[in-house]
Amino acid sequence: MLKVLRDFSKVRSGLTWRKVSSSLDVFDKEKQYGAHNYEPIPVALKKGEGVSVWDVEGNKYFDFLSAYSSLNQGHRHPKIVQALKGQLDQLTLTSRAFYNDCLGEYAEYATHLFGYDKLLPMNTGVESGETAVKLARRWGYDVKGIQKNNAKIVFAKNNFWGRTLTAISASTDPSAYEGFGPYVPGFELIPYDDLVALEEVCKDPNVCGFMVEPIQGEAGVVVPHDGYLRGVRDICSRHNVLFIADEVQTGLARTGKRLCCDHEEVRPDLVCLGKALSGGLMPISAVLADNEVMLTIKPGEHGSTYGGNPLACKVAVASLQVIEEEKLAENSEKLGQLVRKELSAKLNPETVVNVRGKGLLNALVINGNIGVSAWDICLKLKENGLLAKPTHRDVIRLAPPLVIREDQIKECLGIIIRTINNI
């Protein structure tokens, strides 16, 4: 038996320590030992800095995905990295069984910055969505007076906020929900960007919340009509329904404002944050709300071992400070206008039928009748030094780090235009 264990240990050690020497090695190892729940663009990245990444062979690329807007501050921003390193030498985790000396400071900074009474810290973006759903239901029972187990939350069709059972129960995408039932009850679905439908569904006294992305990201960067968010705010206020803004992808300067809702000067009742809240260093998310909503949940009724850990708190504060100090929202607004203007004017309209977005969250809609998919175009962009990824078969999302300079964005626009117009 000891011999068998020693032999197994040698085999395991050999597998663990075999050095990766090429991109193909990376692809093969992940395919052999990892779950097959993603289909990445075939590039094996080893290093990132600012707006650029390098693969294991040393080829350099512009990053035009930013880890789905997690890297608004760029790869390895020095201030955020230093905040992480400094806290690593002090204390990383206490759980919420004890106080730590970082969470209060983080909550104070964030609530003052965004103008809310309270912050509830979590880790991943989907956890912030789950937290908002629980808060809305609890508020519905304790404050609005909905009968037990009758609360309903409304979502827009084609939403995406994660892959937990709760999130997919609100999904209209078969690839997200098919084969994973039974689903979480109590959800209603209405068309996105449809105020008439929202008005009608909110007449139901059991509706306690409407959770919506200010711009639908995974659906293809779908931008609602001007006034939609103001209409949502008005309808929710009149029917005593909580307006829950899923700003996990659109928030934190991505669309040219601190929050995407700021474009229409509306204040949601709950705000879900994530992704760039960590500057791309670790999973950090949060929900913002006022006392009437947040304090409906009492000690022991919701939480997370890692949520609000000292390391995350220091990183989150630094990440928010970078956004403010470096005026990333202003840069996003300015360069986003340049992106849409240049691409709309210079891309072949027979290939790209629409250019849309806000700030530096933009998308190209590819003509589905030309025999070339968005995936095919992304492979060509990779060959020319720019990494992007389709959101669906016919949409390419363009979302570089917000620290990108005007000269860099012009270089990237040249790559995109030459690549697509030469197809």
Side-chain angles (χ1 to χ4, degrees):
M1 176 60 77
L2 287 175
K3 182 179 184 303
V4 171
L5 290 173
R6 283 196 296 269
D7 290 344
F8 174 74
S9 178
K10 289 178 183 177
V11 171
R12 185 173 62 177
S13 178
L15 289 172
T16 302
W17 292 105
R18 183 172 68 84
K19 187 177 180 180
V20 170
S21 58
S22 71
S23 291
L24 287 177
D25 285 343
V26 173
F27 304 156
D28 290 344
K29 183 170 285 192
E30 185 169 317
K31 183 176 181 180
Q32 184 175 359
Y33 299 108
H36 295 180
N37 59 324
Y38 276 91
E39 186 179 11
I41 294 290
V43 60
L45 301 178
K46 185 175 183 178
K47 178 186 174 183
E49 183 175 344
V51 300
S52 300
V53 289
W54 288 259
D55 66 18
V56 296
E57 285 86 12
N59 299 305
K60 183 180 179 181
Y61 307 88
F62 286 106
D63 180 356
F64 256 58
L65 183 63
S66 302
Y68 303 99
S69 299
S70 298
L71 291 157
N72 291 358
Q73 303 89 339
H75 289 268
R76 298 190 303 115
H77 191 287
K79 176 168 182 167
I80 307 172
V81 169
Q82 189 54 50
L84 182 143
K85 288 181 176 179
Q87 190 59 36
L88 278 174
D89 290 331
Q90 299 296 320
L91 180 69
T92 60
L93 181 66
T94 60
S95 82
R96 295 298 301 279
F98 312 108
Y99 289 93
N100 69 66
D101 64 347
C102 303
L103 176 54
E105 293 179 358
Y106 162 43
E108 179 183 32
Y109 182 85
T111 53
H112 286 176
L113 181 65
F114 293 101
Y116 287 87
D117 292 339
K118 294 287 189 292
L119 174 144
L120 198 160
M122 298 298 286
N123 309 287
T124 62
V126 72
E127 287 178 73
S128 68
E130 294 258 2
T131 299
V133 167
K134 289 180 69 175
L135 281 165
R137 283 183 169 180
R138 191 57 177 268
W139 173 89
Y141 298 128
D142 291 1
V143 178
K144 189 172 181 179
I146 298 172
Q147 291 295 307
K148 183 178 180 180
N149 295 332
N150 285 330
K152 297 179 183 177
I153 296 179
V154 180
F155 297 86
K157 293 179 180 178
N158 299 317
N159 72 79
F160 182 87
W161 54 280
R163 298 191 185 277
T164 62
L165 277 173
T166 304
I168 67 169
S169 297
S171 176
T172 54
D173 182 356
S175 68
Y177 68 77
E178 192 66 50
F180 298 111
Y183 306 107
V184 176
F187 295 163
E188 300 279 341
L189 290 162
I190 62 171
Y192 186 62
D193 195 17
D194 188 334
L195 294 176
V196 174
L198 180 62
E199 179 86 50
E200 188 62 30
V201 76
C202 284
K203 292 177 182 177
D204 183 343
N206 289 328
V207 170
C208 59
F210 175 51
M211 182 166 162
V212 66
E213 299 160 87
I215 295 173
Q216 288 193 324
E218 198 64 23
V221 189
V222 179
V223 183
H225 72 272
D226 290 341
Y228 175 64
L229 297 176
R230 287 194 297 273
V232 169
R233 177 67 280 173
D234 174 62
I235 291 168
C236 288
S237 295
R238 285 191 286 104
H239 292 282
N240 198 22
V241 169
L242 296 178
F243 174 12
I244 307 166
D246 176 4
E247 293 264 13
V248 170
Q249 184 171 167
T250 58
L252 304 182
R254 171 52 61 183
T255 68
K257 295 286 186 180
R258 184 181 293 151
L259 296 176
C260 191
C261 287
D262 294 341
H263 284 284
E264 297 197 10
E265 299 181 340
V266 297
R267 185 178 186 272
D269 299 296
L270 295 94
V271 175
C272 300
L273 297 176
K275 295 192 183 295
L277 193 54
S278 75
L281 297 192
M282 59 190 299
I284 304 175
S285 66
V287 175
L288 294 164
D290 288 337
N291 289 334
E292 180 187 272
V293 175
M294 193 68 82
L295 297 183
T296 58
I297 287 185
K298 305 298 190 295
E301 295 177 348
H302 187 67
S304 165
T305 300
Y306 275 80
N309 70 76
L311 198 61
C313 293
K314 287 293 187 181
V315 166
V317 170
S319 298
L320 292 171
Q321 288 174 339
V322 167
I323 290 170
E324 297 300 309
E325 292 166 0
E326 299 189 13
K327 300 185 184 304
L328 297 188
E330 290 86 342
N331 194 52
S332 177
E333 175 66 19
K334 174 187 172 183
L335 297 186
Q337 291 182 18
L338 175 64
V339 166
R340 291 185 295 280
K341 178 182 177 182
E342 288 291 299
L343 295 181
S344 296
K346 296 180 180 179
L347 285 174
N348 184 349
E350 294 184 4
T351 304
V352 177
V353 297
N354 193 13
V355 178
R356 63 193 184 207
K358 264 189 197 301
L360 284 174
L361 179 63
N362 294 288
L364 307 178
V365 182
I366 308 302
N367 185 343
N369 299 316
I370 60 172
V372 178
S373 68
W375 176 270
D376 297 328
I377 293 174
C378 286
L379 294 181
K380 289 291 185 182
L381 288 170
K382 187 205 80 165
E383 292 175 7
N384 293 328
L386 186 144
L387 298 181
K389 197 163 190 292
T391 58
H392 288 286
R393 187 183 185 280
D394 63 345
V395 180
I396 300 173
R397 176 168 31 200
L398 302 175
L402 305 184
V403 293
I404 195 167
R405 303 189 308 268
E406 186 169 344
D407 63 308
Q408 293 173 320
I409 206 85
K410 287 181 177 179
E411 182 179 354
C412 293
L413 290 174
I415 294 172
I416 294 167
I417 292 165
R418 288 192 302 272
T419 300
I420 293 177
N421 287 349
N422 285 334
I423 290 174

